[in-house]
Amino acid sequence: MEKIILQVSGMHCASCAANIERALGRLDGVLQANVNFASEEAYIEYDPQKISLGSLEAAIDNSGYKVIKQGQPQVNETLSISVRFLISLLFSLPLMYLAMSVHFKFPLSAHITDNMALIQFLLATPVVVAGYPFFKRGILTLFKTRNANMDTLITLGVGSAYLYSLIGQANLYYEVAAFLLTFIMLGRLLESRAKAKTSQAVNKLLKLQAKTAIVIRGNSEIEVPIEELVLDDIVIVRPGERIPADGVVVEGHSGVDESMITGESIPVEKSTGSLVIGATINKNGTFKFRATRIGKETVLAQIIRLVRQAQASKAPIQALADKISAYFVPTVLIIAITALIVWLFFGAGFAFALSIFISVLIIACPCALGLATPTAVMVATGVAANQGILIKTAQSLEFFHQVKAVIFDKTGTLTQGVPSITDIVSIKEISQNDILRYAVIAEKRSEHPLAEAVVNFAKKNNLEIPDPDVFNSLTGKGVIARFEGQVVLLGNRKLFLDRQIDISPVEKQMDIFERQGKTVMIVGLQSEAIGLIALADTLKEFSQSVISELKRMGKWVMMISGDNRTTAQAIGAELGIHKILAEVLPADKVHEIQRLQSEGIKVAMVGDGINDAPALAQADIGVAIGAGTDIAIESGDIVLIKDDLRDVVTAMDLSRYAMKKVKQNFFWAFVYNIIGIPLAVGMLYPVTGFLLSPVIAGIAMACSSLSVVSNSLSMRRYKRPVFS
């Protein structure tokens, strides 16, 4: 199966999106087709062995819409609508003056009064011509797909007013036709501008990409477009330039601003062997790097792809709106015709009944229903991306805040994933610095992970590390070194017991450290134990506060680990997690998640995306911890780029907030149609004499969609939760 996102122009309501989905869904080889009215994109999963990309594009084109191919010049829809709106307004204003002069006795010359029908026709016709896209789409869609859409309703409403005025002459409705189109175009213009803002997150990411790269070809330095960069090119980056691709530094030294990926404003030092990420900014030095990921494989390109994929996907809550939209336009058409017939039956004049017919067609708005979910999803996923959180599907956004149990992997998720020194104990008249110095001398030539932790700790503390005169590693026991005529030992109990060295002075403290889940190494000099060094996989920053916040939110928090039970329980106790599974294999993690799911509990799994891939895939929501370049973790539904555990809470809170906005949007969309259509039918007229005019109906229709989009856009002010 292949996945593709196609840009589609010509959609103006939820019915348009539904028409395209039906056309694609009928094709053999199409597994899934989601069309996002708000972003004007079609997300398609298909089998290339059964159907070609050209056939997919043809199906969309034959439905009355147009696929905009990559590299093809795009019509600026906002500019197009702006021009047509200004033309409409220019001719509608004098037309409105003429129409109102009858009621308000505005001064008019005799020549104008005698030729009123002709002058109104001449003023209304340019407006109708400016609104030709509505008629084209409304009629073409009806004939090509046998399904009506919002443009069909506009065509019938405006066309009825215009043709009745042209034929009837006695009752002129030219101003209704003209002002309906003018207000509809104004609504579409405002809606187009607002919809464009919902896509700003992707646009901002696209603008981060470098346009050119300076590469070494032969013996020359040449500047090439970013599209001409190839793998293994040696690229030169000067101060202030954006790095054009992902790669490895081969020469030079600099500080790089990686805030777009990590959120940290402090430049990261880069030297030979360091990884660099495309679109980050080189701050001070000049360096060369070898390109290892280019084009669609770079970190930024993958982020853009995941954000676009999320924005094109459809949330399950949208299914209700889709079902309603499928029957909405035909139902409205039936209501409008029924209202026309009923009012004529009860003796109302044709002009009165026609006004009712037009008002019903115009005030009905499936657009608001169609925009309710996708606009909120687009803004929320864009906000999340700016926070360093990639929410890969709309379904993940909808369901994340609903999970009851949150399971954390231990190593690399709650903890740093690498051991570090936590305690140095001296039992002789020797300082802790000297204990550390002897340990570092013994470990300097060792390749054991614990040795690396000891050496790194010494380097951070600016401790001088001399080379041992003799070094010997004893597998499973420790190391023995000779330095300045003295024997230095570093290892476990077995090393010292084999050499018959008394460790009773340190035994009690060792037991304490081991109950805390720490790894303990005994330091010996000559033939006696002189101290201890304890190491542990330390907690990540904010681990404790994140666990506390999740518990405050009413979530069940669990920890699962392949580590030994003592260590896991010690970490769990420090974090306040009481449900702990230790010494488990990846398959056991999956079984535990399945057990909870069998009890009807929605589960989120938070892990590093590598060893935890099966568990992430099994969970209702898999949250993968990214680490700078490791963002394309397929098993995770949500990826935390910054490796910041607080983003688990942020993503959950944003999920809750986005669904709150979706429900608000649905409420206003439903309320608008439930109230608006009966008013347009004239239900209050027999009692109160109130009748909704077609022009007011057009204004209300425009405002309904705009209010939904504006409500979604308000999410851009979202602030992440603050907790200690």
Side-chain angles (χ1 to χ4, degrees):
M1 301 303 296
E2 288 192 8
K3 302 175 183 178
I4 191 170
I5 297 176
L6 298 178
Q7 194 75 32
V8 182
S9 67
M11 289 192 290
H12 287 92
C13 68
S15 297
C16 297
N19 287 339
I20 298 172
E21 285 181 357
R22 279 193 290 269
L24 291 169
R26 287 193 290 264
L27 300 176
D28 183 34
V30 173
L31 177 67
Q32 182 181 9
N34 289 329
V35 179
N36 189 319
F37 161 46
S39 65
E40 298 183 333
E41 291 178 330
Y43 174 72
I44 308 167
E45 292 185 29
Y46 69 101
D47 185 350
Q49 301 297 322
K50 293 183 178 180
I51 189 168
S52 66
L53 177 59
S55 298
L56 298 174
E57 294 174 344
I60 295 173
D61 290 340
N62 292 335
S63 300
Y65 307 93
K66 185 174 179 60
V67 175
I68 302 173
K69 298 179 181 178
Q70 193 169 11
Q72 181 179 338
Q74 297 186 27
V75 176
N76 188 325
E77 185 180 3
T78 302
L79 178 60
S80 174
I81 296 175
S82 299
V83 171
R84 288 189 283 113
F85 166 69
L86 290 174
I87 292 172
S88 300
L89 188 64
L90 180 66
F91 286 94
S92 294
L93 289 174
L95 181 58
M96 183 59 72
Y97 180 86
L98 294 178
M100 294 178 67
S101 65
V102 177
H103 305 287
F104 296 99
K105 308 300 181 185
F106 293 156
L108 293 173
S109 68
H111 179 73
I112 293 176
T113 304
D114 294 340
N115 297 280
M116 181 66 76
L118 176 61
I119 294 171
Q120 287 198 23
F121 166 76
L122 293 174
L123 289 171
T125 300
V127 180
V128 172
V129 172
Y132 82 91
F134 297 116
F135 306 117
K136 178 183 174 183
R137 287 189 298 262
I139 296 170
L140 279 180
T141 302
L142 194 60
F143 282 103
K144 286 189 174 184
T145 68
R146 297 190 181 125
N147 290 298
N149 60 12
M150 189 63 206
D151 290 329
T152 309
L153 298 183
I154 293 171
T155 299
L156 289 172
V158 173
S160 299
Y162 182 79
L163 291 176
Y164 178 77
S165 303
L166 188 63
I167 297 169
Q169 299 293 318
N171 292 297
L172 300 179
Y173 276 81
Y174 285 123
E175 84 282 0
V176 172
F179 254 82
L180 276 178
L181 279 174
T182 302
F183 280 120
I184 289 169
M185 278 188 259
L186 175 60
R188 292 281 169 90
L189 174 61
L190 297 174
E191 181 185 308
S192 176
R193 288 179 175 175
K195 279 163 58 180
K197 292 179 181 177
T198 65
S199 301
Q200 280 185 349
V202 172
N203 293 334
K204 285 180 180 178
L205 290 171
L206 288 169
K207 289 177 181 178
L208 291 176
Q209 293 174 317
K211 302 295 186 293
T212 61
I214 299 173
V215 299
I216 298 175
R217 299 275 172 85
N219 296 320
S220 303
E221 296 178 9
I222 60 171
E223 187 172 2
V224 299
I226 196 69
E227 295 80 13
E228 295 180 14
L229 197 63
V230 297
L231 282 176
D232 295 324
D233 261 340
I234 301 300
V235 184
I236 300 172
V237 185
R238 298 188 174 96
E241 293 180 345
R242 286 195 183 275
I243 298 172
D246 299 354
V248 179
V249 176
V250 295
E251 183 183 319
H253 181 275
S254 184
V256 174
D257 179 359
E258 294 185 343
S259 57
M260 60 154 281
I261 296 292
T262 64
E264 295 294 334
S265 58
I266 300 173
V268 180
E269 292 299 313
K270 301 292 182 181
S271 57
T272 301
S274 298
L275 298 176
V276 291
I277 304 169
T280 54
I281 302 172
N282 182 28
K283 299 299 287 185
N284 40 44
T286 298
F287 63 87
K288 298 177 183 178
F289 75 93
R290 180 172 57 83
T292 57
R293 289 182 182 177
I294 60 173
K296 295 180 180 180
E297 300 303 316
T298 64
V299 171
L300 180 63
Q302 292 180 62
I303 291 174
I304 292 171
R305 176 179 61 82
L306 290 176
V307 173
R308 287 192 67 200
Q309 180 178 309
Q311 294 185 341
S313 64
K314 187 172 290 187
I317 197 173
Q318 178 68 18
L320 173 63
D322 288 345
K323 288 180 181 177
I324 293 173
S325 296
Y327 299 100
F328 189 91
V329 173
T331 301
V332 168
L333 191 54
I334 292 170
I335 292 172
I337 294 171
T338 303
L340 174 70
I341 295 170
V342 168
W343 281 108
L344 288 174
F345 178 80
F346 282 103
F350 184 77
F352 181 91
L354 180 64
S355 177
I356 295 286
F357 176 77
I358 295 169
S359 294
V360 173
L361 291 177
I362 297 302
I363 200 168
C365 186
C367 304
L369 284 172
L371 290 167
T373 301
T375 53
V377 169
M378 289 176 69
V379 176
T381 51
V383 168
N386 289 334
Q387 299 275 355
I389 302 167
L390 296 183
I391 300 175
K392 293 166 67 174
T393 64
Q395 179 173 326
S396 303
L397 178 68
E398 178 178 341
F399 289 143
F400 191 34
H401 74 289
Q402 298 176 8
V403 299
K404 182 62 179 177
V406 183
I407 302 177
F408 286 89
D409 174 54
K410 181 183 78 69
T411 307
T413 302
L414 291 171
T415 66
Q416 299 290 350
V418 292
S420 59
I421 292 178
T422 59
D423 303 273
I424 300 174
V425 176
S426 172
I427 60 170
K428 297 288 183 179
E429 297 298 323
I430 301 175
S431 69
Q432 289 185 345
N433 274 345
D434 283 336
I435 295 290
L436 177 61
R437 183 168 176 270
Y438 284 124
V440 173
I441 291 170
E443 293 281 37
K444 187 173 182 181
R445 293 183 182 175
S446 174
E447 296 179 354
H448 193 279
L450 294 180
E452 185 180 356
V454 172
V455 172
N456 287 339
F457 185 84
K459 288 179 178 178
K460 287 180 182 178
N461 287 275
N462 300 315
L463 189 67
E464 183 182 348
I465 312 173
D467 289 317
D469 301 322
V470 177
F471 169 80
N472 187 26
S473 176
L474 302 175
T475 303
K477 299 178 183 179
V479 295
I480 300 175
R482 184 177 293 277
F483 177 71
E484 294 182 348
Q486 292 183 305
V487 177
V488 180
L489 301 94
L490 185 70
N492 56 26
R493 288 180 175 86
K494 196 168 185 180
L495 174 67
F496 284 78
L497 293 176
D498 284 352
R499 299 179 70 87
Q500 298 182 347
I501 298 175
D502 182 20
I503 59 170
S504 59
V506 297
E507 193 78 43
K508 184 177 180 181
Q509 186 61 53
M510 284 183 72
D511 290 339
I512 294 173
F513 285 149
E514 286 171 345
R515 283 197 297 271
Q516 294 172 351
K518 298 175 181 178
T519 300
V520 186
M521 296 189 293
I522 308 170
V523 182
L525 191 62
Q526 299 294 71
S527 59
E528 62 179 338
I530 61 171
L532 298 174
I533 289 184
L535 301 96
D537 185 4
T538 55
L539 292 177
K540 282 185 179 177
E541 188 179 14
F542 306 118
S543 289
Q544 289 177 311
S545 55
V546 167
I547 299 303
S548 298
E549 182 65 15
L550 288 173
K551 290 166 74 174
R552 189 195 65 78
M553 294 166 69
K555 308 299 179 184
W556 299 352
V557 182
M558 300 170 57
M559 187 179 78
I560 199 162
S561 175
D563 210 340
N564 68 77
R565 190 168 304 279
T566 302
T567 300
Q569 288 179 340
I571 293 292
E574 190 174 354
L575 289 169
I577 300 175
H578 304 296
K579 177 65 174 175
I580 299 164
L581 291 175
E583 300 175 5
V584 295
L585 298 173
D588 297 324
K589 297 179 182 181
V590 172
H591 293 152
E592 179 61 23
I593 292 171
Q594 289 173 333
R595 184 188 65 78
L596 290 169
Q597 290 171 329
S598 68
E599 297 173 7
I601 298 169
K602 286 187 177 180
V603 181
M605 173 70 193
V606 185
D608 61 14
I610 301 170
N611 297 328
D612 300 312
L616 289 169
Q618 177 63 42
D620 295 283
I621 301 292
V623 182
I625 302 292
T629 59
D630 190 23
I631 60 97
I633 303 172
E634 292 299 326
S635 51
D637 302 296
I638 297 173
V639 179
L640 310 183
I641 304 174
K642 297 185 294 184
D643 197 10
D644 185 340
L645 276 178
R646 289 178 298 176
D647 288 339
V648 174
V649 175
T650 299
M652 195 172 286
D653 184 66
L654 187 56
S655 165
R656 176 200 58 78
Y657 184 51
M659 288 306 106
K660 175 183 174 182
K661 286 294 183 181
V662 168
K663 290 172 183 175
Q664 289 174 355
N665 288 346
F666 275 138
F667 173 80
W668 290 114
F670 279 118
V671 165
Y672 164 80
N673 284 293
I674 289 170
I675 294 175
I677 293 176
L679 286 178
V681 167
M683 291 184 68
L684 294 181
Y685 184 75
V687 179
T688 66
F690 174 79
L691 187 67
L692 191 69
S693 77
V695 173
I696 298 301
I699 296 172
M701 188 267 282
C703 291
S704 67
S705 295
L706 190 61
S707 64
V708 166
V709 179
S710 299
N711 188 46
S712 294
L713 284 173
S714 67
M715 280 194 291
R716 293 192 300 172
R717 298 192 294 269
Y718 173 82
K719 302 294 183 185
R720 64 185 295 167
V722 177
F723 51 93
S724 58

